[in-house]
Amino acid sequence: MNSSFKKKRIHSLFAVIALCFITGKSFSQEDNRWQINPDGSISWQINNTIPHDDHIEMSGKKISCILRYGVATDGSFHATRSLVWPMLRTIPNNTHASLTRQFAQDAFDLVTVNYKPIVAEKVVSITLNGTLLVKSKAGNTLELTRQYFPSTTLSGYCEIYTIKNTSGKTCAVEIPKSNAIYTSDPAKGTEGSYALHVDLFNEGNFNLQANDAISFSVFYSGVKANEQVPSVNTDEEKNKRLKLIHDVWDKLVLETPDPVLNTEFAFAKIRASESIFETKGGPMHGPGGEAYYAAIWANDQAEYIGPFFPYLGYDYGNHASLNAYLQFARFINKEYKPIPSSIVAEGTDVWDGAGDRGDGAMIAYGAARYVLSRGNANEAKQLWPLIEWCLEYCHRKLNAEGVVTSDSDELEGRFPAGNANLNTSSLYYDALNSAVYLGQALGKDASQLKTYKAQAEKLKIAISNYFGSKVEGFETYKYYKENDILRAWICTPLTMGIYNRKEGTIAALFSQRLWTQDGLASAAGDKTFWDRSTLYALRGVLAAGETDKALDFLHYYSNRRLLGDHVPYPVEAFPEGNQRHLSAESGLYCRVFTEGLFGIRPTGLHSFSFTPRLPRSWPVMKLRHIHAFEHDFDITVERANQKLKITVSDGKKVVINKVIKDGDEVNVNL
């Protein structure tokens, strides 16, 4: 065993011991329910760890499915699918008014083999790769597969069932004709009654020879009264779904020595990208979770996911992000009344039930980072008035101590946030800095940009003076003025480049008071956790240079989300929502790497700085096919004795090839 590998093993061992101490939970790789396959998928090989149930969300442009599935004690499979049609609107046409229905039937229950039902089925494996594939056996005579996935473009959801004869004898298979129609109450739909069709394809009588197989499919679709049921070929729909997955996997590729991080990053790109719905108000990225569709939020869409899509180079994601910012721009006003927190019902209504949550700061932060990273001057010019308005709105909300006031924060009153919270002022600070870069790129008035720069410097001091405090023995931040217990969102300044209280803040984040087996507790001593704050924290700790400490916790978190009992994506919260796979959290996971591990910070429409944080146990890390700044480029960071060798290449052209000290910032013009 070579010495570097020994050090890595010892380092990992100490990390596991430390995490077990903090979380109070024994942990080993053997606890993993799932495993990574060579093709990048993950599988659960069914053994004695049953019964077990889980749930996953999968989305297309016109439908979303929350599939609740499991394996019972006897090895049999069961599933319930909640299907959501975001553009089939119900009454009242509010945030949650997407037509939703649950179906529990299994199509194999309709089939006879040798004139009898299929019995004694035992699941062999379940695989996730953007679809859910279940393989099972019924005695020694049949191999069964089920594959579940949404259509990428149609208002429908697909299931493909396959029966293979392994008995050595011919067997008779009967697949019935089945076409069910559910008609919704016309009084409960904004456009009257909706028709939900459940259609089975490839019915008939089949004599299967030994090792022959037959497939049939079920398609769930929803249409308005004046619409035709979409014609479908489920095999083609499967191919379109898998093509989307592989298109996303082939862009913004993370390569590290840690396969768990690489694979979770790949899966997070799926969930971040798929949840965009083709509404009458244009493409709208939606959180999902059986609750939030055909609508946008200032935090999820403007702040979390919008700044990510330019790096992925997913055109539909960029269109959805631009659309979200332009939707919010409709509400800028001369009186500087708050922009609504959410625009709902395909863009036809708003929600502002928590008052001003600091939404202006969220939008300014996200929009400025989006257009800088996007690199498109026309989009930047379109969004400059929105950014300018939001900055002025925040400036007008400063209190006597120089921090931004608001009615609540993104948790909307679930936890106290006082009259001024740390998140809002931190977001405003970063937005001011981005506005200086963006204004320079657009040739804006120098005096205006000088004012923004001065306001940012003043705000940074105010944040330290107003929020900086010793809390539970840690030199960190109060989340709001009266706050006296540790809160997860003390991490936010780290993600905005404010490091003057980093040691105490990082110690507090990874202390027993905040870190749990599922990441950060929202407040010390509380069982509630929200992945979004954990992901902000991991990004901020990496950006602050505590690389190896952050890596231990990042690996632990990623392993739990990818290979544990609830997979394969980051989640929203618990107990609220029961760890729903809300989409923007997956964007935040990817930003742990783009902005944390690689430290990318846009400084112009075609320029950025980056501060790579290569862990001591890694010889190299790469981020390939980064699509930001209207280029397709790679970053490679390699260890060179005590220094780092940096290579930035744009196609075959090497833009930068230099050796730097660990912690140095590199400036790049493409």
Side-chain angles (χ1 to χ4, degrees):
M1 186 183 290
N2 65 53
S3 60
S4 64
F5 187 71
K6 277 184 182 176
K7 288 177 182 175
K8 186 175 179 181
R9 286 289 300 272
I10 292 168
H11 185 66
S12 298
L13 177 61
F14 279 121
V16 170
I17 292 169
L19 286 164
C20 292
F21 174 72
I22 290 170
T23 63
K25 177 182 183 292
S26 62
F27 176 81
S28 71
Q29 296 293 346
E30 287 70 38
D31 289 336
N32 290 343
R33 183 176 295 277
W34 295 74
Q35 64 188 34
I36 301 171
N37 300 318
D39 65 356
S41 64
I42 62 169
S43 290
W44 168 26
Q45 303 298 324
I46 311 303
N47 48 32
N48 58 359
T49 57
I50 52 175
H52 176 67
D53 290 275
D54 199 4
H55 53 94
I56 184 174
E57 183 159 11
M58 300 180 281
S59 307
K61 290 182 178 179
K62 295 183 178 178
I63 196 166
S64 199
C65 171
I66 296 87
L67 188 65
R68 297 177 174 91
Y69 66 95
V71 180
T73 305
D74 63 1
S76 61
F77 181 77
H78 53 268
T80 300
R81 69 258 329 120
S82 280
L83 301 181
V84 182
W85 285 272
M87 278 64 75
L88 301 184
R89 308 300 299 169
T90 59
I91 296 173
N93 191 8
N94 58 21
T95 300
H96 308 293
S98 302
L99 184 71
T100 304
R101 292 291 186 272
Q102 285 194 8
F103 300 94
Q105 59 265 38
D106 186 292
F108 278 138
D109 291 341
L110 304 175
V111 174
T112 68
V113 177
N114 292 331
Y115 316 112
K116 296 179 182 179
I118 298 171
V119 295
E121 178 192 5
K122 294 190 181 299
V123 181
V124 175
S125 67
I126 300 178
T127 299
L128 292 170
N129 66 344
T131 73
L132 189 141
L133 178 67
V134 184
K135 294 183 178 181
S136 59
K137 291 184 177 181
N140 296 317
T141 59
L142 300 175
E143 289 182 359
L144 309 173
T145 64
R146 302 167 175 86
Q147 193 163 20
Y148 303 89
F149 55 94
S151 167
T152 55
T153 58
L154 304 177
S155 59
Y157 156 81
C158 310
E159 299 181 350
I160 298 176
Y161 295 79
T162 302
I163 301 172
K164 182 178 180 181
N165 177 13
T166 58
S167 68
K169 301 177 182 178
T170 301
C171 69
V173 176
E174 294 176 327
I175 302 171
K177 181 178 179 65
S178 178
N179 305 99
I181 302 175
Y182 300 81
T183 306
S184 68
D185 184 346
K188 294 181 179 178
T190 61
E191 298 183 59
S193 180
Y194 305 124
L196 305 182
H197 293 252
V198 185
D199 296 312
L200 188 150
F201 299 100
N202 202 31
E203 76 276 3
N205 301 302
F206 305 90
N207 289 310
L208 293 189
Q209 305 300 315
N211 294 314
D212 279 355
I214 185 69
S215 292
F216 65 98
S217 60
V218 178
F219 185 61
Y220 295 78
S221 61
V223 293
K224 300 173 184 177
N226 60 345
E227 291 179 332
Q228 294 289 321
V229 177
S231 60
V232 65
N233 179 312
T234 50
D235 285 328
E236 287 181 6
E237 292 303 316
K238 181 180 75 171
N239 291 336
K240 289 178 184 177
R241 173 72 177 175
L242 293 175
K243 183 181 184 301
L244 172 66
I245 302 309
H246 288 288
D247 285 350
V248 168
W249 276 2
D250 288 342
K251 296 177 180 178
L252 193 66
V253 181
L254 177 69
E255 294 181 1
T256 77
D258 188 336
V260 170
L261 302 187
N262 301 339
T263 308
E264 178 66 344
F265 187 86
F267 271 92
K269 288 187 294 180
I270 298 174
R271 186 70 195 125
S273 302
E274 68 179 353
S275 191
I276 302 174
F277 304 98
E278 192 64 40
T279 78
K280 67 172 67 172
M284 288 188 169
H285 185 280
E290 215 169 346
Y292 309 111
Y293 303 89
I296 55 171
W297 278 259
N299 51 336
D300 291 67
Q301 280 63 55
E303 178 191 340
Y304 302 164
I305 197 76
F308 167 67
F309 276 128
Y311 295 87
L312 183 59
Y314 181 47
D315 288 341
Y316 197 57
N318 286 327
H319 292 157
S321 296
L322 177 62
N323 184 48
Y325 297 123
L326 292 175
Q327 289 281 348
F328 283 119
R330 293 162 40 206
F331 293 90
I332 62 177
N333 57 85
K334 293 179 181 178
E335 299 79 22
Y336 285 92
K337 296 176 182 176
I339 284 182
S341 301
S342 178
I343 299 170
V344 304
E346 300 188 80
T348 63
D349 203 353
V350 302
W351 177 84
D352 55 6
D356 174 15
R357 310 177 308 156
D359 301 287
M362 298 174 192
I363 294 166
Y365 163 84
R369 279 193 172 248
Y370 166 79
V371 289
L372 283 168
S373 302
R374 181 82 168 99
N376 184 299
N378 289 330
E379 290 188 12
K381 290 171 185 174
Q382 279 183 281
L383 295 188
W384 177 259
L386 171 66
I387 295 164
E388 197 175 35
W389 186 93
C390 288
L391 293 177
E392 176 61 21
Y393 176 85
C394 291
H395 181 67
R396 293 182 179 212
K397 298 290 286 185
L398 295 177
N399 64 14
E401 291 96 334
V403 296
V404 188
T405 59
S406 61
D407 298 319
S408 61
D409 67 353
E410 55 89 35
L411 286 176
E412 299 166 2
R414 294 173 176 86
F415 287 82
N419 296 319
N421 66 76
L422 181 62
N423 249 18
T424 301
S425 290
S426 299
L427 290 164
Y428 175 42
Y429 169 77
D430 191 272
L432 286 166
N433 290 325
S434 291
V436 174
Y437 291 127
L438 182 58
Q440 290 169 345
L442 295 177
K444 296 298 177 182
D445 184 76
S447 63
Q448 180 184 9
L449 305 185
K450 187 177 179 181
T451 298
Y452 286 158
K453 188 173 172 58
Q455 288 173 345
E457 291 168 354
K458 195 173 179 180
L459 179 59
K460 184 177 181 180
I461 295 169
I463 287 171
S464 183
N465 291 340
Y466 186 87
F467 297 107
S469 180
K470 181 177 276 192
V471 182
E472 297 195 45
F474 296 94
E475 289 292 348
T476 181
Y477 300 96
K478 300 179 291 186
Y479 185 58
Y480 57 96
K481 190 172 186 177
E482 302 81 12
N483 177 218
D484 59 0
I485 63 168
L486 291 171
R487 291 284 294 272
W489 283 116
I490 58 174
C491 64
T492 310
L494 299 177
T495 64
M496 310 302 168
I498 301 175
Y499 302 133
N500 53 313
R501 304 182 74 83
K502 74 173 187 178
E503 290 83 4
T505 299
I506 292 170
L509 290 169
F510 293 145
S511 71
Q512 286 180 283
R513 290 290 291 153
L514 278 179
W515 191 269
T516 75
Q517 67 183 36
D518 273 298
L520 292 177
S522 296
D526 197 284
K527 66 180 180 179
T528 302
F529 66 84
W530 290 66
D531 268 18
R532 55 190 65 173
S533 54
T534 298
L535 295 167
Y536 258 81
L538 290 169
R539 186 197 339 163
V541 175
L542 282 167
E546 286 288 347
T547 309
D548 293 296
K549 181 176 285 189
L551 181 67
D552 295 336
F553 287 85
L554 176 58
H555 176 86
Y556 172 89
Y557 166 89
S558 303
N559 190 82
R560 186 168 174 82
R561 289 289 176 269
L562 178 69
L563 303 175
D565 280 344
H566 179 39
V567 303
Y569 305 126
V571 303
E572 180 209 26
F574 183 84
E576 179 179 327
N578 192 27
Q579 301 189 58
R580 294 179 287 200
H581 284 145
L582 295 201
S583 177
E585 277 75 358
S586 283
L588 288 178
Y589 181 85
C590 294
R591 291 177 68 186
V592 170
F593 297 88
T594 55
E595 297 171 37
L597 193 66
F598 284 82
I600 298 173
R601 206 282 180 228
T603 57
L605 295 177
H606 300 102
S607 65
F608 63 96
S609 65
F610 76 103
T611 308
R613 302 296 186 181
L614 184 66
R616 283 178 296 177
S617 58
W618 290 5
V620 63
M621 65 182 187
K622 299 179 183 181
L623 202 54
R624 296 193 300 105
H625 295 301
I626 306 166
H627 283 259
F629 314 107
E630 294 194 319
H631 286 261
D632 177 352
F633 63 98
D634 302 343
I635 297 176
T636 300
V637 183
E638 301 171 87
R639 194 161 301 287
N641 296 320
Q642 300 302 310
K643 296 186 177 181
L644 303 178
K645 181 185 176 186
I646 306 300
T647 306
V648 179
S649 54
D650 188 356
K652 293 183 179 179
K653 176 186 173 186
V654 176
V655 180
I656 286 183
N657 188 1
K658 64 190 293 188
V659 175
I660 65 169
K661 291 186 292 185
D662 196 0
D664 280 359
E665 181 181 270
V666 181
N667 292 297
V668 182
N669 284 289
L670 294 171

